[in-house]
Amino acid sequence: QVQLVESGGGLVQAGGSLRLSCAASGRTFSRYCMGWFRQAPGKEREFVAAISWGGINTLYIDSVKGRFTISRDNAKNTVYLQMNSLKPEDTAVYYCGARDGSYLYTNGYDYWGQGTQVTVSS
């Protein structure tokens, strides 16, 4: 099992940067695919990025490619989402998720963090 605690959200102007962190507990953390999702007001939760358990393979939704970078430090039990060149349309509650598996997944996650608000002003 994995317990996830997120931090790093806040308010930023368009073009700025934020780094989200997701601290995880659980002895099997390094064997989980980790993902970031977001949910804007009135919208469905959408997949943003994922990283495999070994940190070698990553996957991004098209709208964030080249701007966001997902990474993980298994020694610290932490996954990050570095967000650069932020746009107002990135405004959402961002959630960290974990799925037991050795591949990249866009759905079927087993555990979730509480969410952290990211607001990007024009």
Side-chain angles (χ1 to χ4, degrees):
Q1 297 190 27
V2 175
Q3 297 79 46
L4 307 174
V5 179
E6 301 164 6
S7 62
L11 277 66
V12 65
Q13 291 185 334
S17 298
L18 286 172
R19 188 175 77 160
L20 306 183
S21 298
C22 176
S25 61
R27 69 182 189 276
T28 61
F29 172 73
S30 64
R31 296 292 181 177
Y32 281 78
C33 174
M34 301 297 298
W36 287 97
F37 294 72
R38 65 187 181 186
Q39 186 168 17
K43 304 293 185 181
E44 299 288 335
R45 184 179 298 186
E46 68 171 346
F47 168 82
V48 176
I51 185 166
S52 61
W53 69 267
I56 302 299
N57 302 114
T58 58
L59 180 66
Y60 301 91
I61 193 169
D62 285 346
S63 61
V64 307
K65 287 181 179 178
R67 299 189 298 119
F68 290 11
T69 302
I70 187 170
S71 61
R72 67 193 295 168
D73 186 339
N74 289 342
K76 297 181 178 179
N77 289 334
T78 302
V79 62
Y80 305 96
L81 185 67
Q82 178 66 47
M83 304 185 295
N84 298 327
S85 301
L86 282 162
K87 304 174 181 179
E89 51 263 45
D90 295 318
T91 295
V93 178
Y94 283 71
Y95 297 90
C96 177
R99 175 169 173 166
D100 189 4
S102 299
Y103 303 98
L104 292 171
Y105 304 95
T106 60
N107 54 32
Y109 282 71
D110 303 299
Y111 307 100
W112 298 94
Q114 79 286 353
T116 184
Q117 177 70 48
V118 172
T119 302
V120 184
S121 62
S122 301

PDB file of all heavy atoms in Angstrom, residues 28-34 50-58 72 98-106 108-110:
ATOM      1  N   THR A  28       6.709  -0.718  -0.899  1.00  0.00           N
ATOM      2  CA  THR A  28       6.709  -1.069  -2.310  1.00  0.00           C
ATOM      3  C   THR A  28       6.657   0.140  -3.232  1.00  0.00           C
ATOM      4  O   THR A  28       6.384  -0.006  -4.417  1.00  0.00           O
ATOM      5  CB  THR A  28       5.541  -2.008  -2.642  1.00  0.00           C
ATOM      6  OG1 THR A  28       4.301  -1.358  -2.353  1.00  0.00           O
ATOM      7  CG2 THR A  28       5.645  -3.291  -1.837  1.00  0.00           C
ATOM      8  N   PHE A  29       6.942   1.324  -2.707  1.00  0.00           N
ATOM      9  CA  PHE A  29       6.842   2.530  -3.505  1.00  0.00           C
ATOM     10  C   PHE A  29       7.620   2.441  -4.808  1.00  0.00           C
ATOM     11  O   PHE A  29       7.131   2.857  -5.862  1.00  0.00           O
ATOM     12  CB  PHE A  29       7.315   3.739  -2.690  1.00  0.00           C
ATOM     13  CG  PHE A  29       7.421   4.994  -3.494  1.00  0.00           C
ATOM     14  CD1 PHE A  29       6.286   5.672  -3.912  1.00  0.00           C
ATOM     15  CD2 PHE A  29       8.661   5.508  -3.847  1.00  0.00           C
ATOM     16  CE1 PHE A  29       6.379   6.834  -4.660  1.00  0.00           C
ATOM     17  CE2 PHE A  29       8.765   6.662  -4.593  1.00  0.00           C
ATOM     18  CZ  PHE A  29       7.628   7.329  -4.998  1.00  0.00           C
ATOM     19  N   SER A  30       8.822   1.902  -4.772  1.00  0.00           N
ATOM     20  CA  SER A  30       9.669   1.881  -5.956  1.00  0.00           C
ATOM     21  C   SER A  30       9.137   0.987  -7.061  1.00  0.00           C
ATOM     22  O   SER A  30       9.602   1.075  -8.198  1.00  0.00           O
ATOM     23  CB  SER A  30      11.091   1.467  -5.578  1.00  0.00           C
ATOM     24  OG  SER A  30      11.124   0.140  -5.079  1.00  0.00           O
ATOM     25  N   ARG A  31       8.159   0.156  -6.771  1.00  0.00           N
ATOM     26  CA  ARG A  31       7.573  -0.731  -7.770  1.00  0.00           C
ATOM     27  C   ARG A  31       6.249  -0.213  -8.315  1.00  0.00           C
ATOM     28  O   ARG A  31       5.555  -0.929  -9.020  1.00  0.00           O
ATOM     29  CB  ARG A  31       7.383  -2.130  -7.187  1.00  0.00           C
ATOM     30  CG  ARG A  31       8.695  -2.816  -6.812  1.00  0.00           C
ATOM     31  CD  ARG A  31       9.501  -3.153  -8.046  1.00  0.00           C
ATOM     32  NE  ARG A  31      10.758  -3.833  -7.709  1.00  0.00           N
ATOM     33  CZ  ARG A  31      11.622  -4.290  -8.589  1.00  0.00           C
ATOM     34  NH1 ARG A  31      11.370  -4.164  -9.894  1.00  0.00           N
ATOM     35  NH2 ARG A  31      12.731  -4.880  -8.196  1.00  0.00           N
ATOM     36  N   TYR A  32       5.913   1.015  -8.008  1.00  0.00           N
ATOM     37  CA  TYR A  32       4.671   1.605  -8.475  1.00  0.00           C
ATOM     38  C   TYR A  32       4.924   2.571  -9.617  1.00  0.00           C
ATOM     39  O   TYR A  32       5.862   3.363  -9.587  1.00  0.00           O
ATOM     40  CB  TYR A  32       3.966   2.363  -7.347  1.00  0.00           C
ATOM     41  CG  TYR A  32       3.213   1.485  -6.377  1.00  0.00           C
ATOM     42  CD1 TYR A  32       3.880   0.782  -5.388  1.00  0.00           C
ATOM     43  CD2 TYR A  32       1.827   1.378  -6.456  1.00  0.00           C
ATOM     44  CE1 TYR A  32       3.195  -0.029  -4.506  1.00  0.00           C
ATOM     45  CE2 TYR A  32       1.134   0.575  -5.569  1.00  0.00           C
ATOM     46  CZ  TYR A  32       1.819  -0.126  -4.598  1.00  0.00           C
ATOM     47  OH  TYR A  32       1.124  -0.911  -3.714  1.00  0.00           O
ATOM     48  N   CYS A  33       4.066   2.510 -10.615  1.00  0.00           N
ATOM     49  CA  CYS A  33       3.967   3.610 -11.556  1.00  0.00           C
ATOM     50  C   CYS A  33       3.332   4.798 -10.838  1.00  0.00           C
ATOM     51  O   CYS A  33       2.330   4.628 -10.131  1.00  0.00           O
ATOM     52  CB  CYS A  33       3.117   3.205 -12.753  1.00  0.00           C
ATOM     53  SG  CYS A  33       2.766   4.536 -13.907  1.00  0.00           S
ATOM     54  N   MET A  34       3.926   5.960 -10.986  1.00  0.00           N
ATOM     55  CA  MET A  34       3.415   7.166 -10.355  1.00  0.00           C
ATOM     56  C   MET A  34       2.892   8.114 -11.426  1.00  0.00           C
ATOM     57  O   MET A  34       3.499   8.271 -12.487  1.00  0.00           O
ATOM     58  CB  MET A  34       4.495   7.860  -9.537  1.00  0.00           C
ATOM     59  CG  MET A  34       5.088   7.001  -8.428  1.00  0.00           C
ATOM     60  SD  MET A  34       3.854   6.538  -7.168  1.00  0.00           S
ATOM     61  CE  MET A  34       3.390   8.152  -6.548  1.00  0.00           C
ATOM     62  N   ALA A  50       2.984  10.451 -16.277  1.00  0.00           N
ATOM     63  CA  ALA A  50       3.278   9.250 -15.511  1.00  0.00           C
ATOM     64  C   ALA A  50       4.742   8.900 -15.656  1.00  0.00           C
ATOM     65  O   ALA A  50       5.391   9.254 -16.645  1.00  0.00           O
ATOM     66  CB  ALA A  50       2.413   8.075 -15.966  1.00  0.00           C
ATOM     67  N   ILE A  51       5.257   8.189 -14.671  1.00  0.00           N
ATOM     68  CA  ILE A  51       6.637   7.735 -14.686  1.00  0.00           C
ATOM     69  C   ILE A  51       6.673   6.307 -14.171  1.00  0.00           C
ATOM     70  O   ILE A  51       6.004   5.967 -13.195  1.00  0.00           O
ATOM     71  CB  ILE A  51       7.541   8.685 -13.860  1.00  0.00           C
ATOM     72  CG1 ILE A  51       9.013   8.282 -13.987  1.00  0.00           C
ATOM     73  CG2 ILE A  51       7.105   8.740 -12.398  1.00  0.00           C
ATOM     74  CD1 ILE A  51       9.966   9.363 -13.471  1.00  0.00           C
ATOM     75  N   SER A  52       7.449   5.464 -14.839  1.00  0.00           N
ATOM     76  CA  SER A  52       7.539   4.067 -14.455  1.00  0.00           C
ATOM     77  C   SER A  52       8.312   3.916 -13.154  1.00  0.00           C
ATOM     78  O   SER A  52       8.976   4.839 -12.684  1.00  0.00           O
ATOM     79  CB  SER A  52       8.209   3.258 -15.571  1.00  0.00           C
ATOM     80  OG  SER A  52       9.530   3.718 -15.805  1.00  0.00           O
ATOM     81  N   TRP A  53       8.242   2.726 -12.586  1.00  0.00           N
ATOM     82  CA  TRP A  53       8.845   2.515 -11.268  1.00  0.00           C
ATOM     83  C   TRP A  53      10.349   2.756 -11.262  1.00  0.00           C
ATOM     84  O   TRP A  53      10.898   3.196 -10.249  1.00  0.00           O
ATOM     85  CB  TRP A  53       8.532   1.110 -10.747  1.00  0.00           C
ATOM     86  CG  TRP A  53       9.203  -0.009 -11.502  1.00  0.00           C
ATOM     87  CD1 TRP A  53       8.694  -0.717 -12.551  1.00  0.00           C
ATOM     88  CD2 TRP A  53      10.501  -0.555 -11.239  1.00  0.00           C
ATOM     89  NE1 TRP A  53       9.603  -1.668 -12.971  1.00  0.00           N
ATOM     90  CE2 TRP A  53      10.718  -1.594 -12.177  1.00  0.00           C
ATOM     91  CE3 TRP A  53      11.501  -0.273 -10.303  1.00  0.00           C
ATOM     92  CZ2 TRP A  53      11.893  -2.344 -12.217  1.00  0.00           C
ATOM     93  CZ3 TRP A  53      12.676  -1.018 -10.338  1.00  0.00           C
ATOM     94  CH2 TRP A  53      12.858  -2.033 -11.280  1.00  0.00           C
ATOM     95  N   GLY A  54      11.015   2.483 -12.377  1.00  0.00           N
ATOM     96  CA  GLY A  54      12.449   2.698 -12.454  1.00  0.00           C
ATOM     97  C   GLY A  54      12.841   4.110 -12.847  1.00  0.00           C
ATOM     98  O   GLY A  54      14.030   4.440 -12.836  1.00  0.00           O
ATOM     99  N   GLY A  55      11.876   4.925 -13.203  1.00  0.00           N
ATOM    100  CA  GLY A  55      12.148   6.309 -13.553  1.00  0.00           C
ATOM    101  C   GLY A  55      12.699   6.516 -14.955  1.00  0.00           C
ATOM    102  O   GLY A  55      13.084   7.633 -15.301  1.00  0.00           O
ATOM    103  N   ILE A  56      12.740   5.468 -15.768  1.00  0.00           N
ATOM    104  CA  ILE A  56      13.307   5.562 -17.100  1.00  0.00           C
ATOM    105  C   ILE A  56      12.283   6.034 -18.121  1.00  0.00           C
ATOM    106  O   ILE A  56      12.590   6.830 -19.010  1.00  0.00           O
ATOM    107  CB  ILE A  56      13.902   4.214 -17.537  1.00  0.00           C
ATOM    108  CG1 ILE A  56      14.980   3.762 -16.548  1.00  0.00           C
ATOM    109  CG2 ILE A  56      14.469   4.308 -18.950  1.00  0.00           C
ATOM    110  CD1 ILE A  56      16.148   4.717 -16.433  1.00  0.00           C
ATOM    111  N   ASN A  57      11.080   5.551 -18.011  1.00  0.00           N
ATOM    112  CA  ASN A  57      10.033   5.832 -18.985  1.00  0.00           C
ATOM    113  C   ASN A  57       9.032   6.834 -18.433  1.00  0.00           C
ATOM    114  O   ASN A  57       8.598   6.726 -17.281  1.00  0.00           O
ATOM    115  CB  ASN A  57       9.316   4.546 -19.370  1.00  0.00           C
ATOM    116  CG  ASN A  57      10.256   3.505 -19.937  1.00  0.00           C
ATOM    117  OD1 ASN A  57      10.471   2.450 -19.331  1.00  0.00           O
ATOM    118  ND2 ASN A  57      10.828   3.799 -21.096  1.00  0.00           N
ATOM    119  N   THR A  58       8.680   7.785 -19.270  1.00  0.00           N
ATOM    120  CA  THR A  58       7.700   8.793 -18.896  1.00  0.00           C
ATOM    121  C   THR A  58       6.687   8.970 -20.010  1.00  0.00           C
ATOM    122  O   THR A  58       6.944   8.636 -21.171  1.00  0.00           O
ATOM    123  CB  THR A  58       8.358  10.147 -18.592  1.00  0.00           C
ATOM    124  OG1 THR A  58       9.103  10.582 -19.736  1.00  0.00           O
ATOM    125  CG2 THR A  58       9.291  10.041 -17.397  1.00  0.00           C
ATOM    126  N   ARG A  72      11.155  11.136 -10.269  1.00  0.00           N
ATOM    127  CA  ARG A  72      10.988  10.497  -8.971  1.00  0.00           C
ATOM    128  C   ARG A  72      12.338  10.221  -8.345  1.00  0.00           C
ATOM    129  O   ARG A  72      13.332   9.993  -9.037  1.00  0.00           O
ATOM    130  CB  ARG A  72      10.160   9.204  -9.088  1.00  0.00           C
ATOM    131  CG  ARG A  72      10.837   8.080  -9.861  1.00  0.00           C
ATOM    132  CD  ARG A  72       9.848   6.968 -10.203  1.00  0.00           C
ATOM    133  NE  ARG A  72       9.334   6.291  -9.021  1.00  0.00           N
ATOM    134  CZ  ARG A  72       8.290   5.455  -9.032  1.00  0.00           C
ATOM    135  NH1 ARG A  72       7.641   5.221 -10.168  1.00  0.00           N
ATOM    136  NH2 ARG A  72       7.895   4.881  -7.909  1.00  0.00           N
ATOM    137  N   ALA A  98      -0.818   6.512  -7.588  1.00  0.00           N
ATOM    138  CA  ALA A  98       0.099   5.381  -7.640  1.00  0.00           C
ATOM    139  C   ALA A  98      -0.647   4.150  -8.135  1.00  0.00           C
ATOM    140  O   ALA A  98      -1.779   3.902  -7.730  1.00  0.00           O
ATOM    141  CB  ALA A  98       0.717   5.111  -6.270  1.00  0.00           C
ATOM    142  N   ARG A  99       0.001   3.402  -9.005  1.00  0.00           N
ATOM    143  CA  ARG A  99      -0.560   2.153  -9.505  1.00  0.00           C
ATOM    144  C   ARG A  99       0.492   1.075  -9.442  1.00  0.00           C
ATOM    145  O   ARG A  99       1.615   1.266  -9.913  1.00  0.00           O
ATOM    146  CB  ARG A  99      -1.087   2.307 -10.940  1.00  0.00           C
ATOM    147  CG  ARG A  99      -1.555   0.996 -11.529  1.00  0.00           C
ATOM    148  CD  ARG A  99      -2.307   1.162 -12.829  1.00  0.00           C
ATOM    149  NE  ARG A  99      -2.585  -0.138 -13.431  1.00  0.00           N
ATOM    150  CZ  ARG A  99      -3.437  -0.373 -14.408  1.00  0.00           C
ATOM    151  NH1 ARG A  99      -4.130   0.634 -14.929  1.00  0.00           N
ATOM    152  NH2 ARG A  99      -3.613  -1.591 -14.883  1.00  0.00           N
ATOM    153  N   ASP A 100       0.118  -0.060  -8.906  1.00  0.00           N
ATOM    154  CA  ASP A 100       1.020  -1.195  -8.801  1.00  0.00           C
ATOM    155  C   ASP A 100       1.270  -1.754 -10.189  1.00  0.00           C
ATOM    156  O   ASP A 100       0.352  -2.256 -10.839  1.00  0.00           O
ATOM    157  CB  ASP A 100       0.411  -2.259  -7.887  1.00  0.00           C
ATOM    158  CG  ASP A 100       1.365  -3.377  -7.554  1.00  0.00           C
ATOM    159  OD1 ASP A 100       2.542  -3.322  -7.959  1.00  0.00           O
ATOM    160  OD2 ASP A 100       0.935  -4.330  -6.872  1.00  0.00           O
ATOM    161  N   GLY A 101       2.511  -1.677 -10.644  1.00  0.00           N
ATOM    162  CA  GLY A 101       2.857  -2.198 -11.950  1.00  0.00           C
ATOM    163  C   GLY A 101       4.192  -1.668 -12.424  1.00  0.00           C
ATOM    164  O   GLY A 101       4.710  -0.680 -11.898  1.00  0.00           O
ATOM    165  N   SER A 102       4.736  -2.308 -13.454  1.00  0.00           N
ATOM    166  CA  SER A 102       6.063  -1.980 -13.951  1.00  0.00           C
ATOM    167  C   SER A 102       6.035  -1.173 -15.239  1.00  0.00           C
ATOM    168  O   SER A 102       7.094  -0.897 -15.812  1.00  0.00           O
ATOM    169  CB  SER A 102       6.861  -3.260 -14.186  1.00  0.00           C
ATOM    170  OG  SER A 102       7.029  -3.985 -12.987  1.00  0.00           O
ATOM    171  N   TYR A 103       4.869  -0.775 -15.699  1.00  0.00           N
ATOM    172  CA  TYR A 103       4.728  -0.058 -16.951  1.00  0.00           C
ATOM    173  C   TYR A 103       4.109   1.309 -16.719  1.00  0.00           C
ATOM    174  O   TYR A 103       3.831   1.702 -15.592  1.00  0.00           O
ATOM    175  CB  TYR A 103       3.876  -0.872 -17.925  1.00  0.00           C
ATOM    176  CG  TYR A 103       4.433  -2.251 -18.201  1.00  0.00           C
ATOM    177  CD1 TYR A 103       3.948  -3.361 -17.523  1.00  0.00           C
ATOM    178  CD2 TYR A 103       5.451  -2.433 -19.125  1.00  0.00           C
ATOM    179  CE1 TYR A 103       4.459  -4.621 -17.768  1.00  0.00           C
ATOM    180  CE2 TYR A 103       5.969  -3.691 -19.374  1.00  0.00           C
ATOM    181  CZ  TYR A 103       5.466  -4.787 -18.689  1.00  0.00           C
ATOM    182  OH  TYR A 103       5.990  -6.033 -18.940  1.00  0.00           O
ATOM    183  N   LEU A 104       3.900   2.036 -17.796  1.00  0.00           N
ATOM    184  CA  LEU A 104       3.238   3.322 -17.751  1.00  0.00           C
ATOM    185  C   LEU A 104       1.742   3.127 -17.905  1.00  0.00           C
ATOM    186  O   LEU A 104       1.290   2.378 -18.767  1.00  0.00           O
ATOM    187  CB  LEU A 104       3.762   4.238 -18.854  1.00  0.00           C
ATOM    188  CG  LEU A 104       5.208   4.707 -18.725  1.00  0.00           C
ATOM    189  CD1 LEU A 104       5.636   5.405 -20.002  1.00  0.00           C
ATOM    190  CD2 LEU A 104       5.370   5.620 -17.530  1.00  0.00           C
ATOM    191  N   TYR A 105       0.981   3.836 -17.077  1.00  0.00           N
ATOM    192  CA  TYR A 105      -0.472   3.730 -17.107  1.00  0.00           C
ATOM    193  C   TYR A 105      -1.095   5.118 -17.086  1.00  0.00           C
ATOM    194  O   TYR A 105      -0.593   6.029 -16.425  1.00  0.00           O
ATOM    195  CB  TYR A 105      -0.990   2.938 -15.906  1.00  0.00           C
ATOM    196  CG  TYR A 105      -0.383   1.558 -15.774  1.00  0.00           C
ATOM    197  CD1 TYR A 105       0.712   1.341 -14.948  1.00  0.00           C
ATOM    198  CD2 TYR A 105      -0.917   0.480 -16.472  1.00  0.00           C
ATOM    199  CE1 TYR A 105       1.269   0.082 -14.823  1.00  0.00           C
ATOM    200  CE2 TYR A 105      -0.368  -0.786 -16.350  1.00  0.00           C
ATOM    201  CZ  TYR A 105       0.723  -0.982 -15.523  1.00  0.00           C
ATOM    202  OH  TYR A 105       1.271  -2.235 -15.401  1.00  0.00           O
ATOM    203  N   THR A 106      -2.213   5.253 -17.780  1.00  0.00           N
ATOM    204  CA  THR A 106      -2.964   6.498 -17.768  1.00  0.00           C
ATOM    205  C   THR A 106      -4.232   6.400 -16.930  1.00  0.00           C
ATOM    206  O   THR A 106      -4.913   7.411 -16.745  1.00  0.00           O
ATOM    207  CB  THR A 106      -3.334   6.931 -19.189  1.00  0.00           C
ATOM    208  OG1 THR A 106      -4.145   5.922 -19.809  1.00  0.00           O
ATOM    209  CG2 THR A 106      -2.076   7.140 -20.036  1.00  0.00           C
ATOM    210  N   GLY A 108      -6.536   3.487 -13.970  1.00  0.00           N
ATOM    211  CA  GLY A 108      -6.468   2.320 -13.110  1.00  0.00           C
ATOM    212  C   GLY A 108      -5.600   2.504 -11.885  1.00  0.00           C
ATOM    213  O   GLY A 108      -5.098   1.517 -11.340  1.00  0.00           O
ATOM    214  N   TYR A 109      -5.427   3.730 -11.438  1.00  0.00           N
ATOM    215  CA  TYR A 109      -4.574   3.982 -10.280  1.00  0.00           C
ATOM    216  C   TYR A 109      -5.246   3.534  -8.987  1.00  0.00           C
ATOM    217  O   TYR A 109      -6.468   3.657  -8.825  1.00  0.00           O
ATOM    218  CB  TYR A 109      -4.183   5.454 -10.219  1.00  0.00           C
ATOM    219  CG  TYR A 109      -3.083   5.771 -11.202  1.00  0.00           C
ATOM    220  CD1 TYR A 109      -3.322   5.780 -12.570  1.00  0.00           C
ATOM    221  CD2 TYR A 109      -1.789   6.031 -10.763  1.00  0.00           C
ATOM    222  CE1 TYR A 109      -2.304   6.033 -13.478  1.00  0.00           C
ATOM    223  CE2 TYR A 109      -0.777   6.290 -11.665  1.00  0.00           C
ATOM    224  CZ  TYR A 109      -1.035   6.288 -13.017  1.00  0.00           C
ATOM    225  OH  TYR A 109      -0.023   6.546 -13.917  1.00  0.00           O
ATOM    226  N   ASP A 110      -4.441   3.040  -8.077  1.00  0.00           N
ATOM    227  CA  ASP A 110      -4.946   2.427  -6.851  1.00  0.00           C
ATOM    228  C   ASP A 110      -4.999   3.380  -5.666  1.00  0.00           C
ATOM    229  O   ASP A 110      -5.836   3.212  -4.777  1.00  0.00           O
ATOM    230  CB  ASP A 110      -4.065   1.228  -6.475  1.00  0.00           C
ATOM    231  CG  ASP A 110      -3.998   0.194  -7.580  1.00  0.00           C
ATOM    232  OD1 ASP A 110      -5.054  -0.356  -7.939  1.00  0.00           O
ATOM    233  OD2 ASP A 110      -2.880  -0.067  -8.082  1.00  0.00           O
TER     234      ASP A 110
END
